[in-house]
Amino acid sequence: MTTAQETEGEAQSTLSNPSAVGLVAVIVAATDGEPRALTVQVGGQARGRSDGLPAGPLVPEHPTLERGLRAWVERQTHQRLGYVEQLYTFGDRDRQGDDDGGLHSLSVAYLALVRELRPAGLAEAAWRNWYHYLPWEDWRAGRPDSLGEIEAKLLAWAEGSGDPKQRRRREDRLGLTFGLCGGAWNEERVLERYELLFEAGLIPEAQGQSGEARDADLTVTGQPMALDHRRVLATAIGRLRGKIKYRPVVFELMPPTFTLFQLQRTVEALSGTNLHKQNFRRLVAQQGLVEETDGVTSGATGRPARLVRFRREVLLERPAPGFRLRPARRPT
Amino acid sequence: MTTAQETEGEAQSTLSNPSAVGLVAVIVAATDGEPRALTVQVGGQARGRSDGLPAGPLVPEHPTLERGLRAWVERQTHQRLGYVEQLYTFGDRDRQGDDDGGLHSLSVAYLALVRELRPAGLAEAAWRNWYHYLPWEDWRAGRPDSLGEIEAKLLAWAEGSGDPKQRRRREDRLGLTFGLCGGAWNEERVLERYELLFEAGLIPEAQGQSGEARDADLTVTGQPMALDHRRVLATAIGRLRGKIKYRPVVFELMPPTFTLFQLQRTVEALSGTNLHKQNFRRLVAQQGLVEETDGVTSGATGRPARLVRFRREVLLERPAPGFRLRPARRPT
DNA sequence: TCACTTATGCTCAAACTGAGCATTGTGCCG
DNA sequence: CGGCACAATGCTCAGTTTGAGCATAAGTGA
């Protein structure tokens, strides 16, 4: 809130307080049924280089943040960005990794979806499977093995709280986010899970990292990223997993024509779960999300599949077209 | 994207490029079945004062943006903020209202829900019904009258486009957002509607405002706000309307105990639609969102209603407890 | 030609929705 | 005090939507 005096004056320039503002982008593609994010190598000599998300300064030339981001990414990667969405603005003092000399430093994070992956343009850039960084999020082959160890440590962390009230609260959170203590796994709570692991000291990026995290088995707690970028990635995944349920954004990741099964694989890749095949097709058909082309697949094993394309008209018809993911028990 | 050189160096201080960053808050309450936002008086002598949202500088003392906001609001309004959520970071050069001498100016907007409305603390602050600013969003008494005039003007705007392709696109957008041309009204697209009106020149806040907008009947296009604050408000309403469907946030606006009908009124106030009473209760009951107290209402006309309270445990049980609003035809 | 693999069609019971009708308490008004 | 108006609650019912499978079709490779 601001007092009347503070807001006096047309320009409202009391908003100032110069800060360092940067952009971060989670650029997502899906090929071969795997979800991928564009990563770059960052970091100097001291701690060695590590993977990070593409980040850069806010360019003041553009009228809009989003347009600035588009131009910046497209110039650097020669990628045509399809869908772009603002994710979140991160501004935690103690987690940005730097303080930039007393300035508050903010990162405005964006999510972008691209259709195909080009050679990534930059030498230092690479497309990486995002579960490489968050392995516990991939349930497509059943419950990830790494979860056993993670749960044990999380439970120990909850137990370790002296205050029984706090311990209760921690257990509740475990139930909510990781489905422990009788809770169910909710694939959208990616960020909450990451934050919980962070708090529990299982994430090496944490500054006051315990020896625990530093020695962590990376196949269990995943590949670290520079600064707070894994948090940004987790935010992106969570958002995307939520969005595909009520907006046809997956098609931004698909080639012009594709089979229903390829579509399913992509949705599964994003959501990290398996879907019931027949019901998936029924859903897609009912919603009118695609229309048939006269092409069929060839070459691959099994019966050839009809190629379909996205029906842009649904955007005008349906209020909220998307996939309300219903996981299959076990067989796809 | 950033070249390898640009990300060189531990501190990643190339993110810099100092900018002016401010906070804006949409503080929401619901009383007497009306949705309200806390507004303040802003602006100098030149254009006269006008309503605005509470806004202030980013305070660098706090470790987290959100905590900074909480402290700031609670200190100024003596309001205890229940739920707080980051909304969006606005950074359009041409719409911030000021350029602050070449700095890019950003506003990080937050949504906060409060349970009761205190006298608002500040002399200049007031709780206003949010439909005062966006009258076309309130469908509780049926289709708003003002929509007739709005539609006429929007259609004229679409027609007015020389390029038939652009005109087609404009018509599609009208259908999507305002439900014209055979589309359906989707109560979540608050921001899209506002932006469309803005583009169509019906919003006086637009800088290159036509005489049209300036002379607009405020009962039709709503009360203007300072700077871009109506856009922020529209963002908040849209977000909240979406959120109540899958997260029990409405309870942040309710007193400790309440009747099911009061709850329904609140949900209706937020969503701007009417709901089928019996089905609404069934939904609430099925989801286990509330538990009965042994109190009942008294005094009012009609049969006394049981008082209930929010069942916190649902947060631990249900994956996504909320109201999937199903509007009633006409009778409540 | 057989074995295998994936694509597609179709069925069925259970759960969920959208709309109403019917009944039950209360305060108020002659 | 009986009748009314007005909410609160209970309950029904048909039409959909879901979750799970069974069955068949149509290629590939041995």
Side-chain angles (χ1 to χ4, degrees), chain A residues 40 47 60 72 78 104 135 140 150-151 156 175 191 217 259 266 300 303:
Chain A
V40 295
R47 284 185 300 222
W72 167 57
H78 313 289
H104 207 118
R140 287 174 298 171
I150 287 179
E151 289 191 354
L191 180 61
D217 179 353
T259 70
T266 304
R303 171 176 170 178

Side-chain angles (χ1 to χ4, degrees), chain A residues 143-161:
Chain A
R143 193 161 179 288
D145 295 329
S146 57
L147 262 177
E149 201 169 324
I150 287 179
E151 289 191 354
K153 287 183 176 166
L154 285 175
L155 284 169
W157 168 73
E159 299 287 317
S161 170

Side-chain angles (χ1 to χ4, degrees), chain A residues 20-95:
Chain A
V21 179
L23 294 173
V24 196
V26 183
I27 304 173
V28 174
T31 40
D32 310 318
E34 291 301 330
R36 295 174 211 278
L38 191 62
T39 62
V40 295
Q41 289 295 312
V42 299
Q45 291 63 13
R47 284 185 300 222
R49 329 204 70 186
S50 64
D51 295 357
L53 294 171
L58 182 62
V59 275
E61 294 83 45
H62 296 276
T64 296
L65 280 182
E66 185 186 308
R67 282 216 262 155
L69 178 103
R70 287 194 112 99
W72 167 57
V73 172
E74 292 182 353
R75 179 155 33 82
Q76 296 281 346
T77 60
H78 313 289
Q79 284 282 3
R80 180 112 181 81
L81 296 189
Y83 180 84
V84 173
E85 160 180 341
Q86 186 183 301
L87 265 184
Y88 199 79
T89 297
F90 297 90
D92 295 3
R93 288 219 116 197
D94 49 350
R95 290 181 59 176

Side-chain angles (χ1 to χ4, degrees), chain B residues 276 278-279 282 299-300 302-304 324 326-327 329:
Chain B
H276 180 117
Q278 294 95 321
N279 292 346
R282 178 174 63 186
R303 174 175 169 179
R324 346 213 198 356
R326 29 199 120 282
R329 286 289 167 105

Side-chain angles (χ1 to χ4, degrees), chain A residues 105-125:
Chain A
S105 91
L106 297 186
S107 296
V108 184
Y110 277 82
L111 165 67
L113 306 182
V114 306
R115 214 166 290 278
E116 3 174 351
L117 51 184
R118 299 282 170 71
L122 306 166
E124 302 276 12

Side-chain angles (χ1 to χ4, degrees), chain B residues 2-310:
Chain B
T2 184
T3 64
Q5 302 87 289
E6 276 174 357
T7 50
E8 204 67 55
E10 291 276 78
Q12 191 136 6
S13 37
T14 47
L15 287 190
S16 330
N17 236 6
S19 308
V21 179
L23 294 174
V24 196
V26 183
I27 304 173
V28 174
T31 40
D32 309 320
E34 290 301 330
R36 295 175 211 276
L38 191 62
T39 62
V40 295
Q41 289 294 313
V42 299
Q45 291 63 13
R47 282 186 300 221
R49 328 205 69 183
S50 64
D51 295 358
L53 295 171
L58 182 63
V59 275
E61 294 82 48
H62 296 276
T64 296
L65 279 181
E66 184 185 311
R67 282 216 262 156
L69 179 102
R70 286 194 113 97
W72 167 59
V73 172
E74 292 182 353
R75 179 157 33 83
Q76 296 280 347
T77 61
H78 314 290
Q79 284 282 3
R80 181 114 180 80
L81 295 190
Y83 180 83
V84 173
E85 160 181 341
Q86 187 183 301
L87 267 184
Y88 198 79
T89 297
F90 296 89
D92 295 2
R93 288 220 117 198
D94 48 349
R95 289 181 59 174
Q96 288 294 105
D98 67 329
D99 256 340
D100 224 335
L103 290 180
H104 207 119
S105 92
L106 297 186
S107 296
V108 185
Y110 278 83
L111 167 66
L113 306 182
V114 306
R115 214 166 288 280
E116 3 173 352
L117 52 184
R118 298 282 170 72
L122 306 166
E124 302 276 11
W127 289 100
R128 304 297 308 267
N129 184 323
W130 74 30
Y131 295 124
H132 192 53
Y133 305 101
L134 306 160
W136 58 87
E137 293 293 342
D138 187 2
W139 285 56
R140 286 174 299 171
R143 193 161 179 289
D145 295 330
S146 56
L147 262 177
E149 200 169 324
I150 287 178
E151 290 190 356
K153 287 183 176 165
L154 285 175
L155 284 170
W157 169 73
E159 299 287 319
S161 170
D163 179 13
K165 213 165 161 186
Q166 185 186 44
R167 175 218 195 119
R168 184 91 192 84
R169 221 173 319 126
R170 286 184 175 179
E171 284 171 353
D172 283 350
R173 285 179 67 196
L174 292 185
L176 263 178
T177 57
F178 280 89
L180 270 54
C181 316
W185 182 268
N186 180 336
E187 81 280 348
E188 286 186 45
R189 314 212 165 186
V190 188
L191 181 61
E192 283 155 274
R193 282 188 283 268
Y194 180 75
E195 292 288 324
L196 196 53
L197 291 173
F198 191 98
E199 275 185 61
L202 300 177
I203 297 292
E205 286 99 318
Q207 305 214 306
Q209 60 194 272
S210 63
E212 172 104 77
R214 177 164 286 153
D215 310 335
D217 180 353
L218 299 188
T219 63
V220 172
T221 57
Q223 180 70 223
M225 280 183 135
L227 303 171
D228 224 9
H229 288 183
R230 246 155 129 197
R231 181 156 69 134
V232 180
L233 178 61
T235 307
I237 297 175
R239 184 81 129 256
L240 197 45
R241 285 183 174 179
K243 204 112 191 179
I244 50 177
K245 290 179 190 164
Y246 61 94
R247 233 12 85 88
V249 282
V250 221
F251 299 102
E252 302 286 345
L253 298 169
M254 304 299 294
T257 72
F258 47 87
T259 70
L260 289 178
F261 195 52
Q262 281 164 5
L263 181 64
Q264 182 180 345
R265 283 283 181 241
T266 305
V267 173
E268 290 174 336
L270 300 182
S271 71
T273 59
N274 286 316
L275 305 176
H276 180 117
K277 189 156 159 177
Q278 294 95 321
N279 292 346
F280 178 82
R281 333 179 106 242
R282 178 174 63 186
L283 184 69
V284 175
Q286 274 180 354
Q287 304 240 64
L289 287 168
V290 302
E291 61 195 359
E292 299 196 343
T293 70
D294 33 48
V296 287
T297 53
S298 63
T301 171
R303 174 175 169 179
R306 173 119 269 139
L307 288 169
V308 298
R309 75 167 73 88
F310 177 50

